Amino acid sequence: MNKNMKIVLPGGAGLVGQNLVAQLKRQGYTNLVVLDKHVTNLGILRKMHPDIVAELVDLADRGDWEKHLASAEVVVMLQAQIGGTDYTEFERNNITSTKNVIEAMRAHQVPYYVQISSSVVESVADDWYTNTKKAQEEIALASGFPLVVLRPTLMFGWFDRKHLGWLSRFMRKVPVFPIPGHGRYLRQPLYVGDFCRVIISSIEHHTQGVYNISGLEEVNYINIIREIKKATKAGCWIVKIPYGLFHALLATWALFDKMPPFTTQQLAALVARDVFEVIDWPGIFQVKATPFAKAIDETYNDPEYGSVVLEF
């Protein structure tokens, strides 16, 4: 395997991208290019990895950034709008940017493509994120490139600014941590470190197909919160509150926060009772899965990355 192959990571300053860069470098890869429009998170990446190319660009606009795909051997499409209250942002970041990257790949004859999709494409949820991720995946599959589509479930790990990462920081600041309803909502959380090793395996073997990469352990939401509390040694009380009240609190929060960390749409997805397919991805990709409790401990207690947090 050529460790100097050029790997381009559109949207690479987010959760998966930051972890992927760290994992690729640990495995000896040296020619990495990250294209992202988030000023703060790109700055974090540059500070930790000054030896890679990291350019501030908006992939929803065609431009000079396309030159970086020249001589690239792999593009890993990580760009995604996950939360927010403006549909236009979902459309630009999940759909338009994907079309632009694929056109740039076509112009520069990039031979292999990794599309980071999401388990929500098979979800019963009906929201902006779900619908635009479905469209994004359809665009990738129609591109004609040799590619792999990876559909992860809810992820957690180093650099997590949303989801479990935000919850962990919130519980360390408040005396009471609210849980919507009974809290027994089935989750299949996926450790981003394991997911990055799946991506690297795909790059090295040019794996093709569509794969649902779900967390192997089924964990109730309230038990996830308890495990985070244990790992972070937070002193808050975990208290269940009625679902309707929880929903109203989130709606009120969104009136004062343009980018709320948790939205009413995400709350609806939480209680949607989705159960995602579990395949033998450790066997398929030759990756050893990390047990959930160990992964949570590594996430919050790693001496190098455990305290680094990205911005919303």
Side-chain angles (χ1 to χ4, degrees):
M1 180 58 60
N2 176 18
K3 297 288 185 174
N4 194 44
M5 72 162 70
K6 187 175 185 180
I7 302 173
V8 180
L9 309 175
L15 171 63
V16 178
Q18 298 270 2
N19 279 272
L20 184 56
V21 168
Q23 296 268 5
L24 283 165
K25 288 184 62 178
R26 285 183 176 182
Q27 294 194 30
Y29 289 90
T30 58
N31 194 358
L32 308 178
V33 178
V34 171
L35 307 173
D36 204 291
K37 70 174 183 177
H38 198 297
V39 176
T40 302
N41 293 342
L42 199 67
I44 292 171
L45 185 76
R46 287 169 172 165
K47 183 176 181 180
M48 291 189 297
H49 307 288
D51 54 327
I52 73 169
V53 176
E55 185 167 331
L56 182 68
V57 299
D58 187 345
L59 298 167
D61 298 321
R62 301 292 296 270
D64 192 52
W65 60 265
E66 298 177 34
K67 68 185 180 184
H68 289 292
L69 276 71
S71 74
E73 295 188 43
V74 181
V75 168
V76 182
M77 184 58 174
L78 298 156
Q79 177 84 2
Q81 179 79 18
I82 298 174
T85 57
D86 184 353
Y87 174 75
T88 303
E89 292 301 309
F90 288 87
E91 185 175 38
R92 285 179 59 84
N93 292 319
N94 294 346
I95 298 176
T96 306
S97 62
T98 302
K99 291 178 179 178
N100 289 346
V101 168
I102 286 174
E103 287 306 308
M105 285 181 61
R106 204 179 309 281
H108 292 288
Q109 299 181 324
V110 180
Y112 184 63
Y113 183 55
V114 179
Q115 175 66 60
I116 305 305
S117 185
S118 171
S119 60
V120 300
V121 300
E122 295 188 325
S123 169
V124 298
D126 180 13
D127 54 58
W128 295 338
Y129 176 62
T130 299
N131 296 334
T132 54
K133 287 299 287 187
K134 287 179 179 178
Q136 182 188 51
E137 183 175 304
E138 290 170 0
I139 293 165
L141 290 171
S143 69
F145 284 101
L147 84 167
V148 65
V149 175
L150 302 174
R151 298 170 172 169
T153 49
L154 171 69
M155 282 184 283
F156 67 96
W158 299 333
F159 314 113
D160 189 4
R161 70 190 191 279
K162 293 181 72 67
H163 299 140
L164 304 193
W166 182 86
L167 294 175
S168 71
R169 293 187 296 279
F170 182 68
M171 70 168 51
R172 280 180 278 192
K173 296 178 181 178
V174 297
V176 175
F177 188 93
I179 296 288
H182 52 65
R184 298 188 300 277
Y185 310 115
L186 182 64
R187 300 286 89 187
Q188 294 165 275
L190 176 65
Y191 185 35
V192 71
D194 291 346
F195 186 60
C196 287
R197 286 185 280 274
V198 168
I199 296 172
I200 295 171
S201 174
S202 299
I203 292 171
E204 293 178 343
H205 298 97
H206 277 208
T207 307
Q208 296 188 42
V210 179
Y211 298 92
N212 296 322
I213 312 297
S214 306
L216 300 183
E217 297 179 52
E218 296 182 352
V219 189
N220 284 332
Y221 175 74
I222 193 169
N223 289 333
I224 291 175
I225 298 305
R226 289 167 176 159
E227 200 66 52
I228 293 173
K229 179 183 176 182
K230 176 182 176 182
T232 60
K233 299 179 175 60
C236 63
W237 290 89
I238 297 174
V239 177
K240 300 174 185 177
I241 67 173
Y243 177 89
L245 174 59
F246 197 96
H247 187 281
L249 291 172
L250 290 181
T252 302
W253 190 327
L255 295 175
F256 301 96
D257 189 343
K258 183 180 178 182
M259 288 293 292
F262 196 56
T263 67
T264 54
Q265 288 193 0
Q266 289 171 312
L267 176 63
L270 172 66
V271 303
R273 299 182 182 179
D274 288 316
V275 177
F276 300 105
E277 176 188 24
V278 176
I279 64 172
D280 181 24
W281 54 261
I284 295 170
F285 295 94
Q286 297 301 298
V287 170
K288 184 178 180 180
T290 307
F292 177 71
K294 181 181 179 182
I296 286 288
D297 182 68
E298 288 180 2
T299 295
Y300 301 111
N301 297 312
D302 181 83
E304 185 173 8
Y305 296 122
S307 61
V308 183
V309 179
L310 301 183
E311 189 176 274
F312 284 103

